[in-house]
């Protein structure tokens, strides 16, 4: 198993120490580990809507009641968390953001530690989606795009599969919730591990959908404020064969340059 690293070893230790501190002070919220935090910030970074830190930080610690030991500790933790978020955001905007785990199907099905880590990461990712439910829901289908129904079907399937994984993960760590769903039909361990082995495809579906939504938003802005984009084009001297500034991934001459 390989992992794309967005943090230095020092920053990894800072997060580990921080979560130990949160646990010791009974201050854990929805996100209870560094691995869950990574999935959580990953999901926030790809959401095609601005979510201010003042909103998503509450998923990590209670911003109203939690007290840091010192100003130094606060700045160290805050800069590490924001640095990770900004790394994800930059990579997404540059079309370079990928699911951070590389593994074989056999590893996902047989490696228990990998199985647990993937569950934790996906749980954090899942929690982030509920910060903007309307964007990831059926109501947010891109009507203006060709094959919009097909794209919406893809994200709906991805969300359904992710929900199955998270349901089993939560039941495995929370006895109270497990008893509430005692009568629900469960996937057996083999099927669940097969599902986990496709985690990269599930997350990629969200990335693609998010990018399509973001591209649509940019195109609408170009239509509503063409003068701003004309000024930007002149400033950057966009060539006909350069990537279009709207973020579509197409050459300028085959996208906004057609106008």
């Amino acid at each position: 198993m390989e992992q794309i690293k967005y943090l230095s070893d020092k920053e990894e230790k800072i997060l580990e120490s921080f979560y130990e501190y949160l646990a010791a002070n009974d201050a854990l919220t929805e996100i209870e580990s560094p691995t869950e935090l990574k999935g959580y910030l990953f999901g926030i970074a790809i959401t095609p809507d601005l979510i201010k830190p003042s909103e998503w930080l509450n998923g990590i610690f209670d911003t109203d009641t939690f007290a840091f030991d010192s100003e130094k500790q606060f700045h160290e933790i805050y800069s590490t968390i924001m640095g990770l978020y900004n790394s994800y955001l930059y990579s997404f905007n540059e079309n370079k953001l990928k699911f951070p785990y590389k593994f074989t199907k056999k590893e996902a099905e047989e490696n228990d530690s990998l199985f647990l880590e993937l569950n934790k990461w996906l749980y954090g990712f899942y929690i982030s989606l509920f910060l903007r439910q309307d964007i990831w829901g059926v109501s947010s289908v891109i009507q203006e795009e060709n094959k919009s129904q097909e794209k919406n079907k893809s994200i709906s399937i991805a969300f359904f599969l992710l929900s199955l994984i998270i349901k089993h993960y939560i039941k495995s760590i929370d006895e109270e919730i497990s008893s509430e769903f005692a009568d629900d039909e469960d996937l057996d361990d083999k099927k669940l591990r097969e599902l986990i082995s496709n985690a990269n495809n599930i997350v990629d579906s969200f990335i693609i959908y998010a990018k399509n939504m973001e591209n649509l938003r940019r195109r609408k802005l170009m239509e509503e404020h063409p003068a701003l984009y004309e000024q930007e084009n002149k400033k950057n001297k966009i060539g006909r064969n350069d990537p279009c500034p709207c973020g579509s991934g197409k050459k300028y001459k085959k996208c906004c340059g057609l106008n």
Side-chain angles (χ1 to χ4, degrees), residues 27-183:
L28 291 170
T29 55
E30 290 181 299
I31 305 302
E32 299 185 348
S33 71
T35 301
E36 292 177 7
L37 174 66
K38 292 172 185 176
Y40 181 66
L41 294 179
F42 191 103
I44 292 169
I46 71 169
T47 300
D49 185 29
L50 177 63
I51 306 177
K52 296 180 179 180
S54 58
E55 182 179 353
W56 55 257
L57 278 172
N58 272 310
I60 304 171
F61 58 87
D62 191 326
T63 55
D64 293 325
T65 62
F66 180 73
F68 285 88
D69 265 353
S70 63
E71 187 174 341
K72 178 182 178 182
Q73 183 195 39
F74 168 76
H75 286 297
E76 184 178 62
I77 296 301
Y78 187 78
S79 62
T80 300
I81 290 174
M82 289 305 300
L84 179 57
Y85 166 73
N86 286 325
S87 292
Y88 287 150
L89 190 61
Y90 174 80
S91 297
F92 177 70
N93 289 334
E94 294 295 311
N95 296 314
K96 295 179 180 179
L97 188 63
K98 298 179 180 179
F99 182 63
Y101 296 94
K102 295 181 180 180
F103 51 84
T104 64
K105 182 178 180 180
K106 184 177 180 180
E107 285 177 317
E109 294 176 357
E110 298 180 2
N111 188 322
D112 289 341
S113 61
L114 173 60
F115 178 73
L116 178 58
E117 183 162 355
L118 291 174
N119 269 284
K120 288 182 177 181
W121 193 97
L122 290 170
Y123 173 75
F125 181 79
Y126 181 79
I127 293 298
S128 75
L129 303 180
F130 285 87
L131 293 173
R132 291 293 183 273
Q133 296 182 54
D134 58 323
I135 287 179
W136 303 112
V138 175
S139 61
S140 61
V141 62
I142 307 174
Q143 299 292 349
E144 291 88 344
E145 292 285 342
N146 293 328
K147 301 181 181 179
S148 61
Q149 292 183 346
E150 183 177 326
K151 290 179 180 178
N152 190 58
K153 182 179 179 181
S154 176
I155 197 66
S156 296
I157 292 173
F159 192 86
F160 172 73
L161 296 177
L162 178 61
S163 298
L164 281 179
I165 294 172
I166 301 308
K167 171 188 168 184
H168 284 77
Y169 173 63
I170 293 175
K171 286 178 68 175
S172 72
I173 62 175
D174 192 314
E175 293 183 0
E176 183 176 341
I177 290 179
S178 181
S179 63
E180 290 178 7
F181 291 97
D183 296 331

Side-chain angles (χ1 to χ4, degrees), residues 14-28:
I14 288 174
L15 288 184
E16 288 174 8
S17 297
F18 177 55
Y19 273 93
E20 290 174 0
Y21 179 81
L22 288 175
N25 287 274
D26 196 26
L28 291 170

